[in-house]
Amino acid sequence: AQKITQTQPGMFVQEKEAVTLDCTYDTSDQSYGLFWYKQPSSGEMIFLIYQGSYDEQNATEGRYSLNFQKARKSANLVISASQLGDSAMYFCAMRPRYTGNQFYFGTGTSLTVIP
Amino acid sequence: GAGVSQTPSNKVTEKGKYVELRCDPISGHTALYWYRQSLGQGPEFLIYFQGTGAADDSGLPNDRFFAVRPEGSVSTLKIQRTERGDSAVYLCASSETGRNTGELFFGEGSRLTVL
């Protein structure tokens, strides 16, 4: 079974500070991709960052980095230097490479950046 | 257009009615997905198209839900005999098959309210 778990329903962070959003996953596939999406109040899902299961280095995209610990099956998102515009829902997702082609999403974490 | 376009953005209907939701993916994207997102939840997979065919429809909740993509571009999600429990935001996403990351590009969603 494929499952994504996000245990933090809500998080607060001070502007300009860093924050880590947790994500753990469960899959029997050996090859898979991990994704993080941002969903502001407008509703659109915005792709942030990708990590392949065989990538040896943690992915980084600007202020976003993914702390990938394969043995623990965790893929935490780190946002550095938080900005007010980072306030949104954040979803972790996984796509197994060989078991179908659907993306599995977690329940999300609501991040609020405090000025 | 440059992004995934969904219409209507909002649809209010009465229980028992028929509705159609339309998705126009990014040009050239062969993979198209429909997801459903209820309040406070992550996107829930409904169906995935590769080209014109439904490669995976395992997420459709029952036979009242049907989707087509006759020419491999625009897709229509059809819901018959709507029920109040069908109220949700229906998200469409497209993806470029063959890309290593293969991230999903989402539309802004169609919010369906069944009274």
Side-chain angles (χ1 to χ4, degrees), chain B residues 1-81:
Chain B
V4 178
S5 176
Q6 290 189 248
T7 55
S9 55
N10 273 289
K11 175 70 176 179
V12 180
T13 191
E14 293 180 342
K15 180 174 178 292
K17 298 290 189 182
Y18 169 83
V19 299
E20 289 190 352
L21 307 176
R22 175 189 166 105
C23 172
D24 195 348
I26 292 173
S27 178
H29 280 192
T30 56
L32 185 145
Y33 297 76
W34 283 99
Y35 280 82
R36 178 169 69 175
Q37 188 175 23
S38 301
L39 193 63
Q41 299 296 317
E44 173 193 15
F45 172 77
L46 295 177
I47 188 168
Y48 155 64
F49 286 90
Q50 182 60 44
T52 59
D56 183 353
D57 63 358
S58 62
L60 295 177
N62 51 60
D63 61 5
R64 295 187 299 105
F65 288 75
F66 189 70
V68 296
R69 194 186 185 199
E71 297 178 358
S73 55
V74 171
S75 175
T76 304
L77 178 66
K78 308 180 180 190
I79 310 173
Q80 299 177 324
R81 304 183 303 280

Side-chain angles (χ1 to χ4, degrees), chain A residues 9-98:
Chain A
M11 290 283 285
F12 292 86
V13 64
Q14 203 74 38
E15 193 178 6
K16 300 181 184 177
E17 297 293 311
V19 64
T20 298
L21 306 183
D22 295 343
C23 172
T24 57
Y25 59 91
D26 191 16
T27 180
S28 54
D29 277 49
Q30 296 302 308
S31 180
Y32 48 88
L34 297 159
F35 304 77
W36 277 91
Y37 283 84
K38 172 184 178 182
Q39 188 177 42
S41 56
S42 61
E44 186 177 0
M45 296 279 279
I46 302 166
F47 167 71
L48 296 178
I49 195 167
Y50 163 85
Q51 178 85 42
S53 59
Y54 287 113
D55 293 342
E56 294 186 352
Q57 291 196 332
N58 287 341
T60 60
E61 286 287 348
R63 295 186 299 110
Y64 304 108
S65 60
L66 202 151
N67 184 359
F68 179 46
Q69 298 187 46
K70 192 170 182 177
R72 294 186 175 187
K73 292 190 174 178
S74 77
N76 298 338
L77 177 70
V78 180
I79 305 174
S80 62
S82 297
Q83 302 172 356
L84 296 178
D86 294 335
S87 295
M89 284 291 292
Y90 288 81
F91 292 96
C92 180
M94 177 189 63
R95 185 186 67 173
R97 189 175 290 271
Y98 299 115

